[in-house]
Amino acid sequence: MSNVRDSADFAGEAIVVRGGAPLDGVVDVPGAKNSVLKLMAATLLTDGRFELTNVPDIADVAIMSELLEAIGVRVERPTGDRMFATDNGDLTPVAPYELVERIRASINVLGPLLTRCGHVRLSMPGGDDFGARPIDMHVAGLEAMGATFKFSHGYLEAFADRLHGAEIAFDFPSVGATENLVTAAVLADGRTRIDNVAREPEVIDLCEFLVAMGARIDGIGSPTLTIDGVERHELHAVSHHTVPDRIQTATYLAAAAVSGGSIVVRGARPDHMVTVLDRFREMGLGIEVADDELRVDAPERLRSIDVATLPYPGIATDYKPLIITMLAVADGVGIVTENLYPGRFRYVEELQRLGADVRTSGHHAVVRGVPRLSGAPVRAHDIRAGAAMVVAGLAAEGETTIGGVHHIDRGYDDLVGRLAAAGAAVTRVGS
Ligand code: UD1
C-alpha cells in the first residue's frame, strides 16, 4: 500500500495544510456540481442556446463539457462561472468509455438522449471509489416507459421509438434515477407518475429548469412527481442560475468548526441545509442565518453527536466525511451510521494516520474525539473524503500533505484559494 501512496498520489500535485490557524474571513460558495452536471445533460432535450450561470469551475464540469461536445453540443465558457451550450440538432447519441468512466453523472445523458433520439449507446458509468453503484432503477424505469436495452462489451444500448407514460414506484429515492426518468418523461407520450422520488435541492433545481424549458411537471419537492409529456417543439432553450453547492458550504463550516475560527459564508442556501445546520448547532457551532449568508462561530471545543445518513431532507452521505472529521476532534464519542453506501468509510484509515480514534464495523463508525490531530501525509480517496482530509489538516498539529488532489478538483472550485483567503495556512504544491 505504501508504494501506491508514495508513487501514484504524491507524484503530481498535493495540498499542504499547516494546522492551528483559526479561520477568519468571508467565503463565497459556487454553484452545485450535483446540479450543474444534470442541467448540462438536460440541455440535450432540445436544440438552441442554453445559458447556465453560477457554474463551478471544477473538473467534472470540464469532463461533462467534453461529453456534450462528443455528442454534438458546442460548449463555451466565456467566464469562470458562465456557460453556453448550443445544440444545432445534429446529435450523435453515443457516450464513449473514455469520458463516461470518469464521472458518474454521465449516466444522466441516458434519459434525454433516449427520449430525444430514440437510441443511445452509453458506456457503463464510473464514479467515486466507494462501492458498487448500480443503475437497475434507471433501466427498470425506462423499460416501464417502453425502452428496450442491450448490454454488451461494457456498453448499454437503449432503444425506443417514442417513450410512453408509466406508473413507477421507487423502492428507494435514488437521485440519479429520479433525474433520468423525469427528464426522459418530459418528451414521452402521455403521463408519467413516479412515487418515492428523491427530493434533493439539486433534483428540484433540475425540475425547475425543465419547467422553464416548457416541461409540465407537478409535485416538485414532494415524494410524487407527475410529468405530462410535451412535443419537442414546445421546449426551448433557457437561461438558468445553478443552485448553490450545499456540500461545499458545509465544507467551509466544518473548516471553521475544527480550526476554532469564525467565518461568513456567502451565496449559500441555508434553507437547503436545515437538518445539517441543526446537527452542527448541536455540536456547539454558533450559526446565524440571514438570506444567503451563514455566520459561523466555532466553540472552544466541539461536542460529539450521533449521526445517520439518509436521503434528503436527512443528512446527506456527502457530508459524512466532514462530520467524522469534526467528531474526530470533538469532546465525547459519536456514532455515525451510513445508510446509502456501506463501503463509504475508506478515508477513515487516512484519518487514523492523523491520530483520529475511529473504528468502523459494517456501516457504522465509532468516533472517540481527541483534542488535536497530528499532521501526516494522507490521500484523497474521493471528492468529499479529499476535502475532509484538508479540513482534518486544519485541526492537526504541524503539516498535513494531501495527495490525490485530482479527486478534490472534480468537485471543489478552488478549495485552497477560498480557505487561504479566509486565513487558513494552505497551499498547493507540485505540478
Ligand atoms: C448522487 C450524488 C452523490 C450522492 C448521492 C446520494 C451526483 C452526481 N451524485 O449520486 O454525490 O452521494 O446522490 O445523495 O449527483 N442505487 C441502486 N440502483 C440504482 C440507483 C441507485 O441500487 O439504479 C443505490 C446506490 O447504489 C446507492 C443509493 O441507491 O446505494 C443512492 O444512489 P443515488 O441516490 O442514485 O445516488 P447517485 O445519483 O448515484
Side-chain angles (χ1 to χ4, degrees), residues 398-411:
E399 201 169 272
T400 299
T401 306
I402 299 109
V405 174
H406 59 281
H407 287 293
I408 299 174
D409 290 340
R410 284 189 48 201

Side-chain angles (χ1 to χ4, degrees), residues 95-98 121-124 150-157:
Y97 173 77
E98 305 72 56
R121 184 172 145 77
L122 178 81
S123 173
M124 295 295 280
K150 278 204 310 205
F151 298 89
S152 61
H153 305 291
Y155 273 80
L156 71 75
E157 271 191 281

Side-chain angles (χ1 to χ4, degrees), residues 34 38 104 133-137 174-176 317-318 340-341:
N34 286 354
K38 325 306 176 60
R104 166 77 182 175
R133 297 180 77 173
I135 56 164
D136 53 311
M137 291 165 68
S174 156
V175 170
T317 176
D318 291 2
L340 281 90
Y341 296 103

